[in-house]
Amino acid sequence: MTLGNLTKASLLLEIGTEELPASFLSNGAKQLYKNITDFLSNNRIEHGDGVYYYTPKRLSVLIHDVAFQQPTQVIEIQGPPLKFSFNEKGEPTQVTYGFLKTHNASIKDVYTKKTDKGEYLYLKKKTPGKNIFELLKENFKQIVLSIEFPKVMRWDINRNLVFVRPIRWLTVIYGDRLVPVTLECIKSTKYTYGSRSYKNKKILITKADRYPKILKKAGVLVSPSERRDVILKRLKELSLEVNSKVVEDHELLDEATNTCESPYPVICEFDAKYLEIPEVVLTTTLKKHLRAFALKSHDCKRLQPYFIVITDTPTCDTKTVKHWYEEAAKARLDDAKFYFEEDLKYSLEKRVEDEKEVIWIEGLGSLFDKTKRLEKLALVIGQTISGVNIKALLRAAYLSKADLLTNMVREKEYTSLQGIIGGVYARLSNEDELVARIIAEQYLPQSTSDSLPQTIEGAILSIADKVDNIVGVFIINEVPSGSVDKFGIRRQANAIFMICLEKKLFIDFKPIVTLNLSYFNLKNNHTDLLEEQIVSFLKDRLRNVFLEQKINYDVVNAILALPEVNPYDLYLRGQALTKFRASSEDFEKLIIGQKRVTNILKTCNTMYHVNPDLFREPEEIQLYNKAQTIKNELDFLVNKRAYLDALELLLKLRVDIDNFFDKVLVMTDDATIRNNRLALLQYIRSLFQKVADLSEIVIS
């Protein structure tokens, strides 16, 4: 198939669906884009840049300068061995004729070539490339259906199709030509559909390149960045009309962008009496129930009695839309006001006793049991860190889970306010301001983009809470597997490490886990195994954190080989080892020595004690004496966490270690001498492992 003189054109692929979940759009479109560009590259189809688009009703990709056809491929084909290819007279044998016939070639096309197995006949065969139409027809189903979504579904008309939502149309165009492909019973066309304002009428895409412009005329902005810009511009204009500014909310902006095809913001108003509700409750009400942006005064000190909603119908009757949104806001704000006022009748402190009647997690006791564990755990951690207000920390720990019993948090639209509303209620109960802040910060961070606790006490309570969650999940054997993490403890472990690294907190979680396990008063004898599993889990998560920070994998292995799980301390060790590797000329020689030490001790399961009186060779005496001279200084540097200096000090042992291995036979027949030399190597290894296990370092 040819398209005249056309060798390159733009390729458009649009999947039209029923309304897609807003949170699935961006990733779905990215995957579609990757699938198509990978398909083109893997099939040797040259192509230029591209862009992906999405709206609630479509995922689409537009790739420019896509070659019409694969380049012709020359393939070298091996034939029969030369010794069987010609007879004594030099004439082709039947084997040769069979080879030529199979590949539609003549004798002049063949040549000989030497291989490891002898000489063979060969020929080169040109294979014409397939065109984009043929390739898409063969691969289209894989391109579309390999997109992964958190949830998928089937529907009546196409029971064999599995996709995030029912697919209603396919638009596949190369240049100005339809690419005829089929997905079950759905056939591609050159048509798409406009917005609701255009009554969803069919729209002809005359040329792939014109796709965004044609849809724009039909009331659809396929570019999410363009929709976002329209929303932001109009939000600013409308807020200025009432002498206000919009309360920034990037999550809400993303959601608004992804829930409309032609955004049309409308400003609405509510009764000023609702401003008596706490600001966070009012903004959450508007956001969760109406997807509305709250407005505040220009000095940002107070909210204003206005909100802006994003409709998807520019041709709507604005007055009618405004009326119904204001009625909906009134109903929701009435509910919020009621919950708030009812909650104030019963203090947080009184609710703590009620926690005894609430199961935290089945098999792990009540919410009150968790509160008591948090008090003890927060105290232990708090006492290891200077400058902590222990009194405020313990008070906050005691009150921390009380807001889970409030009307506000029990209402599902406000569950995101857990902790935050607790801080609000604490202030209104005349608790100390620091106590209120600690309570409000206890769940932070809840994602990698979330802010961290600002107070050191809030950081400690957050860490204690997350450690208790992780330990509890292991006790009930709900350990994460694959992509399944029912209680989100991977995220919580990452959050713990984020806090420790950002706040520069030195906390060893191995004894913390041991202590936390004891607080559960387990009746079985599996606590040692549980502790081992939890520590292993924490180290695995910490490994990922360090690798994401571009610390070399072997350096990560070297620091995680140590028994402690002290994130910030291990980070400092990793940084020191990385710098030492880059600056020391003798680094590799030092590593080789440590690998030799480790290899010899690998099968040694007994710990021996050095007896200097048993040394026989000057090299072992020299190594021991040198190690003894640096030991105290090494301990001093390690205690100061001056790990780079500690590594420089250990480097002084390098020559003596090499001399020891060159001149001393460790595995001598004399068991007493042998064990003493093994004891010396164990001692040397223990000095190096005060910093890291250098035997884990990979050298070229």
Side-chain angles (χ1 to χ4, degrees):
M1 178 179 181
T2 61
L3 294 178
N5 296 322
L6 184 63
T7 58
K8 287 185 178 181
S10 292
L11 174 66
L12 168 69
L13 192 162
E14 181 187 72
I15 306 169
T17 68
E18 291 189 7
E19 192 144 323
L20 297 161
S23 59
F24 293 4
L25 291 177
S26 177
N27 190 48
K30 284 179 185 176
Q31 287 187 66
L32 180 61
Y33 179 82
K34 184 178 185 302
N35 290 353
I36 292 178
T37 52
D38 285 351
F39 150 75
L40 294 172
S41 299
N42 294 340
N43 284 280
R44 298 178 293 111
I45 294 286
E46 293 183 5
H47 60 89
D49 295 333
V51 62
Y52 59 84
Y53 302 112
Y54 54 83
T55 78
K57 290 169 58 178
R58 68 199 81 222
L59 303 174
S60 53
V61 172
L62 180 63
I63 311 289
H64 302 292
D65 297 321
V66 178
F68 173 66
Q69 196 160 8
Q70 294 173 319
T72 299
Q73 192 172 18
V74 178
I75 303 172
E76 189 175 52
I77 302 172
Q78 186 184 62
L82 182 61
K83 61 184 177 182
F84 300 129
S85 300
F86 299 94
N87 60 24
E88 296 84 356
K89 298 179 181 180
E91 299 169 336
T93 63
Q94 288 301 314
V95 173
T96 301
Y97 282 122
F99 173 61
L100 296 173
K101 184 177 180 181
T102 298
H103 296 285
N104 195 26
S106 64
I107 193 67
K108 65 181 180 180
D109 296 323
V110 300
Y111 56 94
T112 62
K113 188 176 178 181
K114 286 185 178 180
T115 71
D116 294 339
K117 297 180 179 179
E119 285 191 281
Y120 284 78
L121 280 190
Y122 278 83
L123 64 81
K124 288 183 178 179
K125 188 175 182 179
K126 290 184 178 180
T127 304
K130 292 183 178 181
N131 65 50
I132 189 69
F133 288 75
E134 295 172 293
L135 291 169
L136 277 172
K137 189 173 182 179
E138 294 169 4
N139 295 275
F140 185 76
K141 186 173 183 178
Q142 175 66 19
I143 289 171
V144 174
L145 299 186
S146 60
I147 301 174
E148 295 182 357
F149 295 99
K151 293 181 180 179
V152 293
M153 63 182 293
R154 298 177 189 270
W155 54 100
D156 291 339
I157 298 174
N158 286 289
R159 294 299 298 170
N160 294 327
L161 267 181
V162 178
F163 204 64
V164 59
R165 288 292 184 271
I167 297 174
R168 294 310 185 203
W169 75 86
L170 297 169
T171 310
V172 189
I173 300 171
Y174 179 75
D176 60 358
R177 301 293 183 93
L178 167 68
V179 180
V181 293
T182 303
L183 199 59
E184 296 303 327
C185 64
I186 306 171
K187 295 182 179 180
S188 62
T189 71
K190 291 181 67 177
Y191 291 91
T192 183
Y193 288 83
S195 70
R196 294 187 187 123
S197 303
Y198 283 73
K199 298 180 181 178
N200 295 315
K201 68 179 182 180
K202 290 171 68 174
I203 308 294
L204 175 66
I205 305 297
T206 55
K207 196 171 183 181
D209 279 334
R210 296 174 187 159
Y211 170 72
K213 291 183 178 179
I214 291 172
L215 271 179
K216 190 171 185 178
K217 289 181 180 179
V220 177
L221 301 179
V222 288
S223 167
S225 60
E226 189 174 357
R227 294 197 300 276
R228 178 185 290 262
D229 289 344
V230 168
I231 292 170
L232 285 172
K233 181 174 181 290
R234 195 67 184 127
L235 285 175
K236 186 175 181 179
E237 291 171 348
L238 290 173
S239 61
L240 286 175
E241 290 178 8
V242 290
N243 195 30
S244 303
K245 61 189 299 185
V246 175
V247 175
E248 285 189 13
D249 189 327
H250 297 293
E251 182 184 58
L252 181 57
L253 180 59
D254 286 341
E255 187 176 11
T257 300
N258 291 354
T259 51
C260 60
E261 294 195 312
S262 185
Y264 183 69
V266 175
I267 190 165
C268 306
E269 191 172 355
F270 60 82
D271 195 314
K273 71 179 182 181
Y274 297 115
L275 294 175
E276 297 171 7
I277 302 172
E279 181 175 319
V280 68
V281 175
L282 200 153
T283 56
T284 300
T285 302
L286 295 176
K287 175 180 179 177
K288 295 294 184 182
H289 290 286
L290 305 175
R291 290 179 180 163
F293 292 85
L295 301 185
K296 59 185 175 182
S297 59
H298 280 287
D299 60 9
C300 300
K301 289 183 178 179
R302 62 194 181 282
L303 290 180
Q304 299 290 73
Y306 304 100
F307 61 96
I308 299 175
V309 294
I310 312 299
T311 73
D312 197 19
T313 314
T315 57
C316 69
D317 181 344
T318 303
K319 286 185 178 180
T320 301
V321 169
K322 184 173 181 291
H323 168 74
W324 285 114
Y325 269 107
E326 287 176 349
E327 286 295 307
K330 180 181 182 303
R332 295 302 185 178
L333 290 171
D334 278 336
D335 288 344
K337 188 170 183 290
F338 172 77
Y339 298 144
F340 173 64
E341 290 173 348
E342 286 298 304
D343 284 342
L344 291 183
K345 295 176 182 178
Y346 204 61
S347 71
L348 288 180
E349 185 158 20
K350 289 180 180 178
R351 294 181 192 275
V352 175
E353 281 296 312
D354 294 342
E355 292 175 7
K356 294 177 180 179
E357 307 303 319
V358 179
I359 296 297
W360 174 47
I361 294 175
E362 194 66 41
L364 294 177
S366 69
L367 201 55
F368 183 78
D369 294 328
K370 179 174 179 64
T371 296
K372 302 312 288 183
R373 288 195 302 273
L374 287 183
E375 287 183 284
K376 291 186 280 189
L377 207 56
L379 175 61
V380 171
I381 298 173
Q383 288 175 333
T384 67
I385 300 168
S386 61
V388 174
N389 186 326
I390 297 294
K391 182 180 178 182
L393 174 60
L394 293 181
R395 180 63 176 169
Y398 179 70
L399 299 174
S400 61
K401 302 306 172 185
D403 71 345
L404 297 179
L405 277 63
T406 61
N407 293 290
M408 191 66 72
V409 175
R410 284 184 165 183
E411 184 68 19
K412 67 178 182 179
E413 283 81 5
Y414 298 101
T415 53
S416 62
L417 295 183
Q418 62 181 9
I420 298 171
I421 198 65
V424 171
Y425 290 157
R427 288 187 184 91
L428 294 173
S429 299
N430 296 317
E431 294 288 343
D432 185 84
E433 173 60 23
L434 178 57
V435 171
R437 289 184 66 188
I438 298 168
I439 293 171
E441 293 176 343
Q442 65 178 296
Y443 295 103
L444 298 177
Q446 298 193 63
S447 68
T448 53
S449 59
D450 202 1
S451 58
L452 298 179
Q454 295 301 301
T455 66
I456 191 66
E457 294 83 4
I460 292 169
L461 184 57
S462 175
I463 289 170
D465 185 42
K466 291 171 176 58
V467 168
D468 191 67
N469 292 342
I470 292 168
V471 171
V473 166
F474 271 83
I475 290 172
I476 61 171
N477 198 27
E478 286 284 358
V479 183
S481 175
S483 61
V484 179
D485 186 3
K486 182 177 176 181
F487 292 93
I489 63 171
R490 289 175 179 147
R491 172 181 51 78
Q492 293 185 63
N494 290 348
I496 290 171
F497 302 145
M498 284 171 62
I499 293 172
C500 290
L501 295 178
E502 289 294 325
K503 299 287 186 181
K504 300 181 179 180
L505 301 179
F506 294 105
I507 303 172
D508 185 359
F509 287 97
K510 191 171 182 180
I512 295 295
V513 167
T514 304
L515 199 60
N516 198 187
L517 275 168
S518 71
Y519 296 159
F520 280 91
N521 298 316
L522 300 179
K523 295 179 181 179
N524 57 49
N525 297 316
H526 303 309
T527 53
D528 289 345
L529 178 60
L530 277 172
E531 180 184 330
E532 184 181 325
Q533 291 173 338
I534 296 166
V535 168
S536 176
F537 166 77
L538 292 175
K539 283 196 171 187
D540 283 343
R541 301 315 303 165
L542 194 51
R543 182 186 308 280
N544 291 336
V545 169
F546 287 152
L547 290 174
E548 286 173 3
Q549 296 193 350
K550 309 302 181 185
I551 300 177
N552 279 4
Y553 75 95
D554 56 343
V555 173
V556 174
N557 291 341
I559 58 179
L560 289 182
L562 302 180
E564 59 262 31
V565 189
N566 191 328
Y568 186 56
D569 178 75
L570 291 173
Y571 172 78
L572 293 180
R573 292 170 189 265
Q575 292 297 305
L577 191 48
T578 301
K579 290 178 182 177
F580 184 63
R581 180 184 223 162
S583 62
S584 175
E585 295 179 359
D586 291 329
F587 179 78
E588 287 197 3
K589 293 178 181 177
L590 186 68
I591 299 303
I592 291 170
Q594 285 307 293
K595 286 182 179 292
R596 293 181 73 178
V597 170
T598 299
N599 287 336
I600 289 177
L601 295 176
K602 194 171 288 183
T603 57
C604 181
N605 298 318
T606 304
M607 287 302 299
Y608 298 107
H609 297 286
V610 177
N611 183 351
D613 294 335
L614 294 175
F615 290 145
R616 295 290 180 267
E617 304 295 339
E619 289 78 14
E620 57 186 330
I621 297 170
Q622 173 63 20
L623 176 57
Y624 179 71
N625 289 339
K626 178 67 75 68
Q628 284 290 91
T629 61
I630 72 166
K631 180 182 180 301
N632 290 338
E633 185 180 356
L634 179 64
D635 288 340
F636 174 75
L637 292 173
V638 169
N639 288 335
K640 283 178 55 183
R641 295 190 167 90
Y643 296 121
L644 184 57
D645 293 337
L647 286 165
E648 295 286 356
L649 182 63
L650 287 167
L651 185 59
K652 293 181 179 180
L653 295 178
R654 202 271 301 168
V655 174
D656 298 297
I657 292 170
D658 290 348
N659 290 339
F660 174 84
F661 282 119
D662 289 342
K663 301 297 175 82
V664 179
L665 177 62
V666 176
M667 306 307 285
T668 181
D669 292 336
D670 187 325
T672 303
I673 300 300
R674 180 175 67 246
N675 292 343
N676 196 54
R677 288 172 180 171
L678 289 171
L680 175 57
L681 292 181
Q682 288 174 341
Y683 175 56
I684 295 301
R685 181 174 65 175
S686 72
L687 294 180
F688 278 84
Q689 288 188 339
K690 290 176 183 289
V691 180
D693 185 351
L694 298 190
S695 68
E696 292 285 348
I697 298 297
V698 176
I699 56 176
S700 55

